[in-house]
Amino acid sequence: IEWSVVAPYDTANNQSGKITVNNDKTFTSDSEEGWTIVDQESNLVTKMEKDIVVKNNSNNIVVTVKMIDRAGNSSEEKIEFSIDKTIPVIEVVYDNNEPDADYNDIYKADREATITITERNFRAEDIVFAITNTDKDIPAVDLTKADVWTTTVNDEDPDKTVHVAKIKYTADGDYTFDIAYKDNAENAAEAFAQHKFTIDKT
C-alpha cells in the first residue's frame, strides 16, 4: 500500500508512505505508524486501515492511495480538496484625509474609498456591507458583484492575493460605512469598526 498527501502550497506538510504486509502478517514499511489490520482470513490480511491527518493550508490538496495485491492486481484512488485556515483581512483607506480644521470628520470635497480584502478563496457575493447617507444620495456601487473587484493573485503565497474595489463619495450628507466578510471556508475577518464622516461642499 502506498499513500501520499501532495499540495502545491504549504509543501512542508506534504507526506507519503509505503507499507508491505508479509506472509506472517508483520509489516515492512518506511512508515507503518497508524496502520491496523481490520480483517484477515487464515494467513491473509484482507483489510487494512490508517487515519491520515492532512495539515496543509492550501488549495488543490491531493490524497492518493494505491494498493497492489499478491497477484499483481492494483487499484488507486484520489481525492482532491482544499483547506483554508487563514483569516481574511479588510482594509479601507481614503484619498481625501483633510477634514475641516475644527471638525475632524467633515470634508469639503469628494472622498474615494479603496477597499482591499486579502484572501485566497474570495467570493464577492459573501460580502455584507451597508452605506447610509442622511441626504439619501448613496454611491451606486454593489460590493457583492464580482465585476466591482480587481484581483491581483500572489502566485508564491495565494493567502496574500488581494481584491480591490473603490467607492466614490460625491454627494453632501452624513455617511456611515460598514463591511463584513467570511471566506469560502467560513473564516471571518476581524470585526470592522464603522466609518462615519460628513461631506459638505455647499
Side-chain angles (χ1 to χ4, degrees):
I1 305 169
E2 297 180 47
W3 60 273
S4 64
V5 178
V6 179
Y9 302 98
D10 193 14
T11 56
N13 281 311
N14 286 355
Q15 50 185 309
S16 62
K18 181 179 180 180
I19 186 170
T20 301
V21 183
N22 303 314
N23 284 333
D24 61 359
K25 291 176 285 189
T26 60
F27 301 148
T28 303
S29 172
D30 59 0
S31 180
E32 66 183 49
E33 181 181 349
W35 282 104
T36 304
I37 297 174
V38 178
D39 287 323
Q40 53 189 319
E41 183 179 326
S42 186
N43 70 320
L44 298 176
V45 173
T46 57
K47 187 175 182 180
M48 296 279 289
E49 188 174 89
K50 175 183 173 68
D51 291 332
I52 300 172
V53 179
V54 180
K55 301 178 181 179
N56 306 71
N57 183 31
S58 175
N59 288 359
N60 308 118
I61 302 167
V62 179
V63 178
T64 305
V65 180
K66 181 179 180 181
M67 178 187 164
I68 303 174
D69 69 13
R70 293 295 174 84
N73 302 303
S74 66
S75 62
E76 181 178 303
E77 184 170 350
K78 293 183 179 182
I79 57 172
E80 183 173 337
F81 55 92
S82 300
I83 296 176
D84 186 347
K85 307 176 188 177
T86 306
I87 296 174
V89 176
I90 300 173
E91 181 182 23
V92 181
V93 297
Y94 297 86
D95 63 340
N96 175 7
N97 295 298
E98 298 179 5
D100 179 84
D102 297 318
Y103 302 96
N104 61 13
D105 59 354
I106 298 178
Y107 299 82
K108 67 177 182 179
D110 296 347
R111 296 191 92 194
E112 184 175 67
T114 299
I115 303 162
T116 302
I117 296 180
T118 304
E119 168 57 36
R120 184 201 330 158
N121 296 301
F122 176 81
R123 282 191 310 214
E125 63 198 66
D126 294 329
I127 293 171
V128 178
F129 79 103
I131 303 172
T132 68
N133 180 1
T134 52
D135 290 5
K136 311 302 181 186
D137 195 346
I138 297 172
V141 61
D142 185 352
L143 297 179
T144 66
K145 301 298 183 185
D147 59 1
V148 170
W149 296 87
T150 301
T151 297
T152 303
V153 176
N154 188 317
D155 291 322
E156 293 185 4
D157 185 354
D159 283 324
K160 294 180 181 176
T161 294
V162 295
H163 314 271
V164 177
K166 295 181 182 293
I167 300 175
K168 189 82 170 180
Y169 296 93
T170 59
D172 282 7
D174 302 318
Y175 288 94
T176 66
F177 175 74
D178 294 275
I179 188 170
Y181 180 71
K182 287 183 180 180
D183 66 20
N184 296 3
E186 296 293 306
N187 298 308
E190 288 187 10
F192 181 83
Q194 184 183 72
H195 286 188
K196 297 180 179 182
F197 61 91
T198 297
I199 292 179
D200 182 358
K201 300 188 289 185
T202 305

